Amino acid sequence: MDADPVTATTAEQLTPIVRRALDRPDADIDRWELAPADHCVDNMTTERLDRVRGTLDDGTPWSLFAKTLQPASAAPHWRLIPDFAHAELLRELDWRDEPRAYGCGLAADVPDGLRMPRLWHLDEDDDRIVLWLEDVDDRAVWDLPTYRRAAEGLGRLAGRWPQRRVDAELGLRRRRLAEYVDGKVVHAVLPWLADDATWSDPMVAAATASDPDLRSDLARLADDLPDLLGRLDESDHALGHGDATPANILDDGTDLVLVDWSYGSSMAVGTDLAQLVAGAYDGRAEGDVGLMTPVHDIVVDAYCAGLAAEGAPVAPGDVVLAYLVTLAVRSGLTAVDLSHVADLPEERRAALLHQRVALARLALDRLAAVRL
């Protein structure tokens, strides 16, 4: 690869971007510095995240957020992917999906109270794309009112952009949960769950000691997947963010700002709720398990209220099914896998594992209840 485009950026290249961001056509940069952003990078198509900050010659401060994208084949984890899965993974993780989301016109027509971060500039070559974005000052406090507000906003987004409109005006693709299942789940997750060694690991055994049925219930979920995925394929589809975790929903004091549009696409209505609920209990998050059930109890009603506010047909049963199937698959089947946070201290990993097991149990029990 060529030299990294962010670290190689010059003041001459930055100046027009800063001028646009500040709406100061005559502004000149006095000084600037680059530092890695305080975000966990776990997407194979994201090479790095940086903040570029500085001042103008009159002392005015400025800040930009630079997101560098790469093909999934350039990621370190690519070597762990079996050859037969390469083509499907490159299609599923298309590194140009996020630039498409910013360039399709969506930002001009999102519901009140939501917005996308402003894209000030895009640099593109054969092996990298750099999105020069607004650096949003996040003021979000993730209490129950914020979860309700986020869920309603996501419902309004889906209600405003049903699949027919996404197809006609945005050109973003349809993303099926079955693609994830047929790839990673079938070839990696299920064999790993079937291995006795997975469950005999001391940390896993301790986290699941109070839930001895978890392994068999996850196996039952796997058996039921063809039917569940078929039902999702037949349900209404609309625009979804695709990774609507609290980490990707910022509050600028006026609007909720949806960042990281790598998975923005048409999907089963209600899918976004899964990541909204799971996001506080995944990765390096320190979620409050006590909020888990109350959050679950409010997000569906809030999401349906958002659909109704946009005049969209509301089918609560379909919303619940899409939400819970996605939650059970993405957070339940992978609940006891902490390989992606191997760098955390053991005590923190153990606490995180207990959170994830509790979330898996909530998803499995609620899904079983709605299918009775």
Side-chain angles (χ1 to χ4, degrees):
M1 285 189 178
D2 298 331
D4 182 272
V6 176
T7 57
T9 299
T10 66
E12 183 178 9
Q13 293 168 315
L14 273 178
T15 296
I17 305 174
V18 172
R19 287 175 174 177
R20 183 179 180 191
L22 297 180
D23 194 22
R24 296 270 304 271
D26 298 323
D28 288 312
I29 294 174
D30 176 36
R31 63 174 185 82
W32 62 280
E33 61 183 14
L34 174 128
D38 185 20
H39 293 266
C40 174
V41 177
D42 56 9
N43 187 328
M44 291 177 68
T45 60
T46 299
E47 180 181 3
R48 57 185 294 159
L49 301 170
D50 297 284
R51 281 194 168 85
V52 185
R53 291 171 169 155
T55 56
L56 302 182
D57 58 2
D58 64 0
T60 301
W62 55 268
S63 182
L64 303 171
F65 193 89
K67 181 172 186 176
T68 304
L69 305 176
Q70 64 185 0
S73 56
H77 289 164
W78 180 256
R79 60 183 175 80
L80 304 177
I81 308 299
D83 291 348
F84 70 83
H86 284 176
E88 178 61 26
L89 184 65
L90 288 174
R91 195 187 77 80
E92 174 71 9
L93 299 180
D94 187 339
W95 69 306
R96 299 184 188 277
D97 278 347
E98 187 166 13
R100 288 190 189 101
Y102 282 105
C104 68
L106 171 62
D109 193 7
V110 295
D112 291 344
L114 290 182
R115 68 179 182 89
M116 298 172 69
R118 297 172 180 88
L119 175 65
W120 303 124
H121 184 68
L122 184 148
D123 286 323
E124 182 175 4
D125 59 30
D126 291 338
D127 55 21
R128 286 191 182 94
I129 297 173
V130 181
L131 304 173
W132 293 92
L133 295 156
E134 170 190 6
D135 189 6
V136 179
D137 180 16
D138 182 25
R139 307 174 193 178
V141 177
W142 282 94
D143 52 15
L144 291 178
T146 303
Y147 277 101
R148 181 180 292 109
R149 179 184 172 201
E152 182 173 350
L154 292 167
R156 292 195 64 184
L157 184 70
R160 181 166 296 195
W161 287 98
Q163 182 169 330
R164 57 174 173 73
R165 192 176 174 211
V166 173
D167 292 343
E169 300 179 42
L170 302 182
L172 300 178
R173 68 188 178 97
R174 176 168 168 163
R175 193 179 295 271
R176 301 168 60 241
L177 184 61
E179 297 170 2
Y180 172 75
V181 170
D182 292 342
K184 179 178 179 179
V185 170
V186 168
H187 295 292
V189 176
L190 295 186
W192 183 76
L193 288 175
D195 188 345
D196 290 342
T198 299
W199 299 93
S200 61
D201 176 273
M203 192 175 291
V204 173
T208 59
S210 62
D211 192 352
D213 295 328
L214 182 64
R215 182 178 183 180
S216 60
D217 287 349
L218 290 175
R220 189 173 301 110
L221 169 65
D223 290 339
D224 291 344
L225 282 179
D227 171 63
L228 293 170
L229 296 173
R231 292 172 64 181
L232 291 196
D233 281 344
E234 295 171 0
S235 67
D236 288 337
H237 281 55
L239 179 67
H241 177 274
D243 193 16
T245 73
N248 289 333
I249 304 176
L250 312 182
D251 185 350
D252 68 2
T254 301
D255 297 318
L256 293 181
V257 186
L258 302 181
V259 303
D260 190 357
W261 283 84
S262 302
Y263 298 101
S265 55
S266 176
M267 56 193 64
V269 174
T271 297
D272 268 340
L273 294 179
Q275 287 299 90
L276 179 63
V277 173
Y281 311 98
D282 201 4
R284 290 164 171 75
E286 298 187 21
D288 179 359
V289 174
L291 279 179
M292 195 176 293
T293 297
V295 167
H296 165 85
D297 290 341
I298 67 171
V299 294
V300 173
D301 286 345
Y303 186 93
C304 289
L307 288 170
E310 294 294 324
V314 178
D318 289 345
V319 170
V320 170
L321 187 69
Y323 155 44
L324 290 177
V325 171
T326 305
L327 183 64
V329 168
R330 289 194 171 271
S331 298
L333 292 176
T334 61
V336 296
D337 179 14
L338 295 184
S339 59
H340 62 300
V341 289
D343 58 318
L344 287 181
E346 183 174 338
E347 182 178 346
R348 179 68 193 100
R349 292 177 72 231
L352 178 58
L353 190 55
H354 278 83
Q355 291 177 349
R356 288 166 60 95
V357 166
L359 182 62
R361 174 48 60 194
L362 180 144
L364 290 168
D365 288 351
R366 297 302 173 98
L367 181 58
V370 301
R371 298 184 69 207
L372 293 177

